């Protein structure tokens, strides 16, 4: 089977800075792939290239074997790529349920577009949308919080809600940018189980940027290491952890949060 996502030799330059250089990486269906590297290595830029915020100056981004270089961000969401952000970007003033329902606008399976246009199915679909949103909320044990404003949730729950919001778009591929940032060890463990469960129950693929080594090494099928925009190592967590280059990259930069 062809990979779900394939980055073929992609590069992007900002002025004189090569933020990503000749990067190739594949993500198979139902695979969790870790993307690690020191601060400024180019990890978030890779997400911006996959989601169409930026276009590569060279190389191609392939999704389900299709070159999507020319697709706009919302078209990529339609195709099945969704992300979370390094700094949480929920609609803070909206309720938990509204955050989910808004994301479902992208979900072709649910057909919310016709309801937005007030076609005859409007009322029936509105009920379906609410029902589906509740199912998502039940999945993360947040049904009782459905009418809370997102900003009032505890931090860890906001992070989980952001992941479920990405799932609610109907995405096959989830890009998670440092989902454990700011979490305590207990929340991080819970998050780790949650990501693994999402992959297993919902058959999603995940590209995971994370500085928490326990998390990324604990659930990834493979890990790629970026340094100055280049992939220096790729392999199974056990191989990457003991790789000399990787150890030097982290220790050499005194990057505290990357060592834990
Ligand atoms: N739009 C832009 N214009 C100019 N430089 C940029 C732009 N976006 C990113 N960069 C630069 O590209 C490099 C990679 O940044 P990026 O945000 O991808 O790093 P990162 O690996 O996600 O780091 P962190 O772990 O701190 O989040 C950095 O030097 C950054 O300053
Ligand atoms: Mg980043």
């Amino acid at each position: 089977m062809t990979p779900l996502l394939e980055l073929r030799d992609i590069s992007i330059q900002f002025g004189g800075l090569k933020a990503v250089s000749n990067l190739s990486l594949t993500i198979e269906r139902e695979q969790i792939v870790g993307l690690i590297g020191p601060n400024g290595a180019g990890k978030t830029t890779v997400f911006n290239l996959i989601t169409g915020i930026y276009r590569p100056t060279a190389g191609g981004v392939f999704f389900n074997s299709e070159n999507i270089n020319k697709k706009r961000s919302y078209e990529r969401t339609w195709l099945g790529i969704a992300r979370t952000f390094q700094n949480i970007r929920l609609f803070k003033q909206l309720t938990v349920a509204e955050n989910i329902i808004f994301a479902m606008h992208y979900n072709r399976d649910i057909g919310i577009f016709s309801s937005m246009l007030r076609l005859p199915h409007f009322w029936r679909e509105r009920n379906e949308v609410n029902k589906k949103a509740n199912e998502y909320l039940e999945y993360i044990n947040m049904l009782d919080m459905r009418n809370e404003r997102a900003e009032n949730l505890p931090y860890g729950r906001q992070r989980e809600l952001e992941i479920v919001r990405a799932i609610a778009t109907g995405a096959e591929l989830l890009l998670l940018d440092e989902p454990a940032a700011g979490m305590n060890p207990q929340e991080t463990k819970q998050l780790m189980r949650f990501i693994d469960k999402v992959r297993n129950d919902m058959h999603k693929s995940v590209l995971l940027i994370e500085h928490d080594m326990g998390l990324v090494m604990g659930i990834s099928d493979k890990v790629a290491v970026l340094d100055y925009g280049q992939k220096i190592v790729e392999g199974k967590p056990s191989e990457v952890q003991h790789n000399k280059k990787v150890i030097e990259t982290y220790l050499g930069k005194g990057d505290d949060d990357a060592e834990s």
Side-chain angles (χ1 to χ4, degrees), residues 103-134:
M104 285 160 60
H105 283 64
Y106 288 98
N107 195 331
R108 282 178 205 239
D109 301 338
I110 294 166
I112 198 172
F113 267 100
S114 58
S115 64
M116 295 303 288
L117 296 169
R118 312 228 164 193
L119 294 176
H121 305 301
F122 175 67
W123 291 106
R124 189 172 62 79
E125 285 184 358
R126 206 176 69 147
N127 283 337
E128 274 172 20
V129 164
N130 268 313
K131 209 174 125 208
K132 189 74 198 167
N134 286 348

Side-chain angles (χ1 to χ4, degrees), residues 141-159:
N141 275 322
M142 263 191 219
L143 196 52
D144 55 334
M145 298 176 196
R146 79 183 301 286
N147 298 321
E148 288 279 343
R149 278 197 199 196
E151 66 186 352
N152 293 335
L153 295 185
Y155 184 79
R157 307 249 64 188
Q158 290 191 25
R159 285 243 173 237

Side-chain angles (χ1 to χ4, degrees), residues 32 139 191-201 218-219:
I32 299 179
Y139 187 74
L191 176 75
M192 180 165 153
R193 282 195 293 267
F194 178 63
I195 296 171
D196 202 38
K197 189 163 116 84
V198 165
R199 179 258 300 267
N200 295 332
D201 298 350
I219 54 170

